[in-house]
Amino acid sequence: MLKSLKVLDLGVNQLTGPIPPEIASINGVTRINLQSNGLTGHLPPELGNLKYLEELRLDRNRLQGTIPAGGKSDFPSNVHGIHASSTNPTGLCQASQLKVADLSYNFFVGNIPKCLKYLPSTSFQGNCLRSKDPKQRSAKKCGGSPPAKTHQIFHPNHRPAKDVSDQHQEASKPAWLLALEIITGTMAGGLFLVAVLTAFQRWNSKSSIIIPWKKSASQNDYEAVYIDSELLKDVVRFSRQELEVACEDFSNIIGSSPDSLVYKGTMKGGSEIAVISLCVKEEYWTCYLELYFQKEVAELARLNHENTGKLLGYCRERSPFTRMLVFEYASNGTLYEHLHYGEGCQLSWTRRMKIIIGIARGLKYLHAEHDPPFTISELNSSAVYLTEDFSPKLVEFESWKSILARSKKNSGSIGSQGAICILPNSLERRHLNVQGNVYAFGVLLLEVLSGRLPYCKDRGCLVEWAKEFLELPEVTCCLVDPELKHFANEDLQIICEVISLCIHPEPTNRPSMQEVCSMLESKIDTSVSLEFKSSSLAWAALALSS
């Protein structure tokens, strides 16, 4: 009934059921966001009637069927109802003003409509579409099964001639021959069982195991690599089945990269988890990758700080091939989402200052309190997750890049003669870029301060844009996010000073995170918010209560 509504944002809720086609009666709406819900059913083609619609976000739901473009061909012949019976169904091709549409991570089938080919491929990934994009769901997850070879109706009295002759031959075998076959089979099975049990006992009795990996189908030589069984003895190992149940059959995708997928799940006890799954086939999984996977799990497991994401465990299974990391989930999403897609009022000045100091404390812990130090592969606002009370947690979701990079460096040292054994401590260490993290922290401060993206086509690089304001204290207020109604000028000057130090072009001249953390903690007061100070009513209430 809201005929004058311009923006309908119901994203990131727990809405279920189909999308009501009545939404198409809101003629003036320009933006519809229903992402990250539990919506099911078909996409109403009536949405094409919204002639002013510019943005449509339906990603991360459970929508199915074809993507309605316009015309009867968009609907399967077995669909009945209002859409199928309409003589002139509409579709998204009719929405002439549509500029942004995200239909990713649903269960859409068929082809991408030609009229929507201008959208990026990421708008359609994670579906069941007939697309060459490798980021579509597998046939198993889409409910696909190989077609039957024949459509003949089986009748018990009608059998092929070959089956009848085979049955006749089996019936004609003498009894002594059948008995001999049974005895031989039983003995062979017993010997096999004894061999398996013996191998299992030997495996348990050793502190390390040797895994043979065949190098190629054309080579007969193997390489043996020792894997320390003590490395992960204190880390929880989850089964694929329990993670599959927790993550709703791995349909609840909250992030993706070329190397991995990130799922959100809920364990039996109610605790929420984030699961990172490596996107690599078993035939490409080398012995070195296995070693680095285990070393990365061990390194992540040793992190324990209130401002770093906690690794809860890992999953390693052979069939189906699985390599996953399980982290605790921060329920308030990423800092990136709040800065660029959320409501600006949620991130007040004081809250931003607390987030900045929390990130600095987390980096100080990683850099200074670990030997060797631990660095975040890609430190940005997407690597900062927020808890319910907006406390920041640094999460290393790019672990796979470190694993793959280290494995490639060692892959060239494999010889072609015989087997070689390599101990884990002789392998390439995790790449450390402490000064790179300091620079990235400076850029992150600018992003939090200004609410702008680190880079965009229209405005270019954020650092280049900010330099002229950083050099002139009297105009530093131009750096502040317009969404902020109040800010402390004293805090602003400190933040700008820290930014200038962190983004120094010479890495050796950049401060350590210990120094940065000390500057922020000693000079920025987050005990009483600026909003509270500026409100006379709030101070009156405080006076009355005291």
Side-chain angles (χ1 to χ4, degrees):
M1 305 301 292
L2 303 173
K3 300 298 182 183
S4 301
L5 190 68
K6 300 295 183 184
V7 176
L8 177 64
D9 189 345
L10 301 174
V12 197
N13 284 285
Q14 297 179 358
L15 302 179
T16 58
I19 299 175
E22 289 81 3
I23 289 179
S25 64
I26 310 175
N27 297 322
V29 71
T30 61
R31 178 187 172 200
I32 296 177
N33 180 12
L34 302 175
Q35 66 179 5
S36 300
N37 282 288
L39 299 173
T40 55
H42 291 73
L43 179 58
E46 288 88 349
L47 295 180
N49 293 332
L50 298 171
K51 57 183 178 179
Y52 299 110
L53 184 65
E54 297 179 1
E55 183 176 333
L56 178 64
R57 297 190 180 274
L58 303 174
D59 52 295
R60 294 170 175 81
N61 282 285
R62 298 181 183 178
L63 300 171
Q64 52 188 301
T66 57
I67 300 174
K72 297 180 181 179
S73 61
D74 296 323
F75 301 94
S77 58
N78 60 343
V79 175
H80 301 285
I82 183 172
H83 303 320
S85 61
S86 176
T87 56
N88 186 25
T90 58
L92 297 185
C93 291
Q94 309 300 318
S96 57
Q97 299 299 314
L98 190 63
K99 298 175 183 176
V100 177
D102 193 345
L103 308 178
S104 60
Y105 302 112
N106 283 282
F107 291 88
F108 288 118
V109 297
N111 296 314
I112 300 173
K114 292 182 179 179
C115 66
L116 301 180
K117 288 294 179 69
Y118 66 92
L119 295 172
S121 60
T122 53
S123 297
F124 303 99
Q125 68 183 16
N127 281 288
C128 306
L129 298 166
R130 289 195 294 270
S131 171
K132 295 180 180 179
D133 184 359
K135 293 183 181 178
Q136 295 296 312
R137 297 181 189 271
S138 64
K140 183 179 179 181
K141 292 181 180 179
C142 293
S145 58
K149 293 182 179 179
T150 64
H151 298 281
Q152 296 178 354
I153 299 175
F154 176 77
H155 192 277
N157 295 326
H158 177 71
R159 298 182 182 179
K162 186 177 184 297
D163 291 347
V164 174
S165 62
D166 289 346
Q167 186 183 18
H168 176 72
Q169 288 179 5
E170 288 180 5
S172 63
K173 285 182 178 180
W176 66 267
L177 183 58
L178 291 174
L180 182 61
E181 288 178 350
I182 292 172
I183 293 170
T184 305
T186 304
M187 291 177 63
L191 289 171
F192 178 77
L193 183 60
V194 170
V196 170
L197 290 174
T198 303
F200 183 76
Q201 288 176 351
R202 288 184 179 178
W203 182 79
N204 278 339
S205 65
K206 293 185 177 181
S207 63
S208 62
I209 60 173
I210 301 177
I211 295 183
W213 246 282
K214 197 170 184 179
K215 295 164 72 173
S216 71
S218 62
Q219 292 176 317
N220 296 322
D221 55 327
Y222 287 76
E223 58 184 57
V225 176
Y226 282 98
I227 296 180
D228 189 358
S229 60
E230 297 294 311
L231 197 62
L232 304 180
K233 67 175 183 178
D234 297 325
V235 187
V236 177
R237 181 172 178 175
F238 293 93
S239 70
R240 179 186 170 89
Q241 184 178 9
E242 60 184 316
L243 294 181
E244 192 170 9
V245 171
C247 299
E248 302 173 19
D249 195 25
F250 295 127
S251 63
N252 198 1
I253 302 173
I254 60 172
S256 63
S257 73
D259 305 314
S260 59
L261 288 173
V262 184
Y263 307 99
K264 177 181 177 292
T266 305
M267 301 300 288
K268 284 185 178 180
S271 59
E272 293 183 316
I273 58 173
V275 180
I276 311 177
S277 177
L278 177 63
C279 299
V280 73
K281 294 182 179 180
E282 184 176 6
E283 54 263 34
Y284 301 125
W285 188 257
T286 66
C287 51
Y288 285 106
L289 279 171
E290 181 62 30
L291 279 171
Y292 286 122
F293 168 74
Q294 295 193 33
K295 284 176 69 70
E296 189 72 8
V297 170
E299 291 193 47
L300 289 169
R302 68 189 175 107
L303 305 182
N304 186 20
H305 188 268
E306 62 179 348
N307 294 121
T308 60
K310 182 175 178 59
L311 180 77
L312 301 178
Y314 69 101
C315 177
R316 186 184 70 196
E317 291 189 8
R318 191 165 188 112
S319 181
F321 180 77
T322 305
R323 294 296 183 275
M324 294 179 176
L325 300 176
V326 183
F327 288 88
E328 66 176 352
Y329 180 76
S331 58
N332 226 340
T334 66
L335 178 59
Y336 179 90
E337 292 167 345
H338 283 276
L339 286 173
H340 307 297
Y341 291 108
E343 297 293 333
C345 59
Q346 283 192 314
L347 291 184
S348 63
W349 178 262
T350 302
R351 185 165 278 173
R352 295 188 196 210
M353 294 301 101
K354 288 181 178 179
I355 290 172
I356 285 171
I357 292 175
I359 296 171
R361 286 171 177 166
L363 288 173
K364 173 188 172 184
Y365 165 78
L366 295 176
H367 292 183
E369 298 181 33
H370 278 279
D371 185 24
F374 189 97
T375 56
I376 303 296
S377 301
E378 291 191 14
L379 179 59
N380 51 43
S381 56
S382 295
V384 180
Y385 276 70
L386 302 175
T387 61
E388 191 172 351
D389 62 350
F390 285 88
S391 176
K393 285 186 177 289
L394 293 167
V395 182
E396 174 60 299
F397 273 1
E398 298 297 331
S399 301
W400 299 125
K401 290 186 177 180
S402 174
I403 294 171
L404 294 170
R406 284 184 286 172
S407 176
K408 287 176 182 177
K409 284 189 178 182
N410 267 311
S411 61
S413 64
I414 301 173
S416 59
Q417 301 295 326
I420 55 175
C421 297
I422 297 178
L423 297 175
N425 58 10
S426 68
L427 295 170
E428 181 75 24
R429 286 188 175 274
R430 196 177 199 279
H431 179 62
L432 297 179
N433 188 8
V434 174
Q435 294 304 324
N437 268 190
V438 174
Y439 182 90
F441 178 70
V443 178
L444 185 55
L445 288 185
L446 269 178
E447 188 178 353
V448 174
L449 191 66
S450 66
R452 292 173 177 242
L453 290 165
Y455 177 82
C456 64
K457 292 182 179 179
D458 298 334
R459 296 175 178 174
C461 181
L462 179 60
V463 172
E464 294 300 321
W465 168 79
K467 277 182 178 178
E468 57 179 313
F469 302 113
L470 291 170
E471 293 168 358
L472 300 171
E474 60 272 16
V475 294
T476 51
C477 59
C478 297
L479 291 169
V480 179
D481 189 344
E483 291 281 349
L484 288 171
K485 296 180 181 179
H486 308 285
F487 67 90
N489 192 61
E490 301 85 359
D491 294 348
L492 176 61
Q493 299 306 320
I494 297 300
I495 295 295
C496 289
E497 182 183 352
V498 171
I499 292 172
S500 298
L501 292 171
C502 291
I503 63 173
H504 195 285
E506 183 57 46
T508 55
N509 292 335
R510 296 170 194 161
S512 66
M513 283 312 301
Q514 296 99 303
E515 296 170 320
V516 169
C517 200
S518 178
M519 289 178 65
L520 295 174
E521 288 179 325
S522 62
K523 297 181 180 179
I524 294 180
D525 181 17
T526 58
S527 58
V528 181
S529 71
L530 181 69
E531 294 80 13
F532 192 81
K533 287 180 180 179
S534 64
S535 172
S536 57
L537 290 175
W539 277 112
L542 179 63
L544 288 172
S545 64
S546 60

